[in-house]
Amino acid sequence: MSFEDAATHVFFDKSGRQVTTDKGFRMARANVAVREGRWYWECKITQGIQPPKDGDAKPVGGKHVRMGWARREASLDAPVGFDAYSYGIRDVAGEKVFMSRPKEFFPPGEGIKEGDVIGLEIQLPSEHLHRKIMAGHYNPAVDAADEPAPATAEAANIVRDRVPIRFKAHTYFEKIEYHATKELEDLMNPSPAVSSSSSNDAPGPTHPTPALRTLPNSHIRIYKNGVLMGTPFENLLGFLPPASKPMPQVGAREGLDDGMLGYYPAVSVFRGGAVEVNFGPDFWYPPSDYDSTNGEVDMIQPDGLSANSLHAVVERYQEQIAEDIIYDIVDEVDFWMQDGGGATNQAGVDEKTKEVVMAPGREEIKELVQDD
């Protein structure tokens, strides 16, 4: 789990796998996001609802946990499933929760108790199809197969603006966060006084409002102690811009993807509730179609094996590191070109174009002043 991407009063062990709190519901997210494909992780309840004691009809409660998948905009001071930016499973009766509306999911009397291991699988379409949906070019009759992007397809425009801030003779670079959109707030709490044709339409891949467009063939599956319990959520909401919007910042561009948008593994704990997360590759209850060898032994896929295989979330960490390296190289080349392409004069001194030298605001850095 991420030590930074967590609410206050959330406590971790040194490994970052054990999570608990002594306050009300607080959320913690993982440090990687999934953007396409099938991914799986597990969550073991180490402190939660205990089985009924001898002679008692009801289980012993007081400590609670929830687990699921959450986007960047999901509130950390609320449980998973609180808003339209996260999908959660509740320990009480094993209910599914979305937009704070719990609904029955587990069979009656099943529930999630201390010692149970909950497996969470998510499936998302390709980024190529996702971007086509957000651009408004999705055609269900043509794009239902979700074929791979052609080699000539335009690459994703990843922009990682960091606003420089000078404070006490040091320069810090502020990461821009994404904020909740009015459309999803209205979806969660519809106002009877406001009615329009677009707001009344159910979310779908061709919805006129980008924030309300869903991803076809996307779903979340839940396992309990290795047994598939079902699929509580289907047609998940899209997260790429313009569905997700960064907070406006002076000197930063607006409405762009910084490469960290996606669905994050997330857990919420309540008053002593505690969990242990397992992102693989050695799961407690691996699904039947999970390849624990990660392709290291057999380099050739056997006939009939789906190309959309199930991956452990830990594999996404390595992918994310590789993506960051690529984005670093792209940014270096971009800045090099903005500075004149490395042209030098006869004396070997770098020459910058007049446009670069005279560009307004390039040397402007926001400065914070601390009151005495």
Side-chain angles (χ1 to χ4, degrees):
M1 304 299 288
S2 173
F3 296 137
E4 293 80 17
D5 196 12
T8 56
H9 301 289
V10 171
F11 307 111
F12 302 90
D13 67 342
K14 291 183 178 180
S15 68
R17 295 180 55 187
Q18 306 266 0
V19 185
T20 187
T21 186
D22 58 353
K23 302 294 183 180
F25 267 119
R26 299 291 191 275
M27 186 195 299
R29 283 190 288 254
N31 56 3
V32 295
V34 299
R35 296 162 64 94
E36 61 180 351
R38 294 177 61 206
W39 301 90
Y40 178 82
W41 67 286
E42 290 180 334
C43 178
K44 177 188 290 185
I45 290 78
T46 55
Q47 292 188 51
I49 299 177
Q50 299 179 359
K53 296 182 179 180
D54 296 338
D56 294 339
K58 295 183 178 180
V60 180
K63 303 175 182 179
H64 296 282
V65 298
R66 295 187 188 182
M67 63 291 297
W69 298 87
R71 288 163 55 180
R72 286 268 294 273
E73 300 93 329
S75 174
L76 295 174
D77 294 319
V80 184
F82 169 77
D83 47 28
Y85 298 100
S86 60
Y87 300 85
I89 296 297
R90 187 182 180 208
D91 56 356
V92 177
E95 296 176 327
K96 60 180 181 180
V97 186
F98 178 59
M99 296 192 300
S100 296
R101 293 167 175 82
K103 296 181 180 179
E104 293 182 357
F105 175 55
F106 277 22
E110 189 72 25
I112 300 175
K113 299 179 177 60
E114 191 172 297
D116 287 338
V117 175
I118 304 300
L120 299 101
E121 175 192 336
I122 191 171
Q123 176 173 307
L124 298 171
S126 66
E127 282 194 46
H128 175 67
L129 179 62
H130 194 161
R131 297 184 188 281
K132 186 178 291 188
I133 292 172
M134 290 304 158
H137 301 153
Y138 174 73
N139 186 344
V142 178
D143 301 319
D146 191 11
E147 297 179 353
T152 57
E154 183 179 355
N157 183 22
I158 304 298
V159 178
R160 304 179 300 166
D161 286 346
R162 299 291 185 266
V163 179
I165 299 175
R166 184 179 291 115
F167 180 67
K168 289 186 176 181
H170 294 281
T171 302
Y172 300 88
F173 290 88
E174 184 179 28
K175 183 177 180 180
I176 303 173
E177 276 300 335
Y178 289 78
H179 63 85
T181 59
K182 182 179 183 301
E183 293 82 3
L184 290 186
E185 291 180 354
D186 293 340
L187 179 66
M188 177 179 175
N189 300 306
S191 174
V194 178
S195 62
S196 63
S197 58
S198 61
S199 61
N200 291 334
D201 295 339
T206 58
H207 198 281
T209 303
L212 296 176
R213 292 174 186 166
T214 59
L215 304 177
N217 301 322
S218 62
H219 61 253
I220 294 175
R221 288 176 178 167
I222 301 299
Y223 300 79
K224 178 183 176 182
N225 299 327
V227 178
L228 177 62
M229 304 302 294
T231 305
F233 305 106
E234 295 179 325
N235 299 320
L236 311 180
L237 290 170
F239 52 82
L240 292 180
S244 294
K245 298 179 180 179
M247 299 181 65
Q249 290 278 359
V250 177
R253 286 164 285 189
E254 184 179 356
L256 298 176
D257 180 12
D258 65 353
M260 294 297 292
L261 289 171
Y263 279 99
Y264 291 75
V267 296
S268 298
V269 283
F270 177 87
R271 294 194 179 278
V275 299
E276 179 182 357
V277 297
N278 184 359
F279 297 125
D282 300 322
F283 291 113
W284 295 303
Y285 295 97
S288 58
D289 57 344
Y290 171 66
D291 180 15
S292 60
T293 62
N294 193 22
E296 295 180 358
V297 177
D298 189 0
M299 300 300 293
I300 302 177
Q301 290 186 340
D303 294 338
L305 182 62
S306 173
N308 190 19
S309 57
L310 187 63
H311 300 275
V313 172
V314 69
E315 299 177 37
R316 176 61 188 147
Y317 180 80
Q318 301 296 333
E319 289 186 2
Q320 195 164 283
I321 295 297
E323 290 173 359
D324 284 339
I325 295 174
I326 294 175
Y327 300 152
D328 287 340
I329 296 174
V330 173
D331 288 343
E332 287 290 340
V333 174
D334 180 43
F335 294 140
W336 177 70
M337 294 297 295
Q338 292 184 37
D339 288 340
T344 57
N345 58 20
Q346 294 180 354
V349 180
D350 290 342
E351 291 182 347
K352 295 185 179 181
T353 63
K354 182 179 180 181
E355 291 76 8
V356 172
V357 175
M358 300 301 294
R362 289 181 62 87
E363 289 77 19
E364 181 180 354
I365 298 179
K366 188 165 54 175
E367 187 165 355
L368 296 181
V369 179
Q370 186 178 30
D371 297 333
D372 295 333

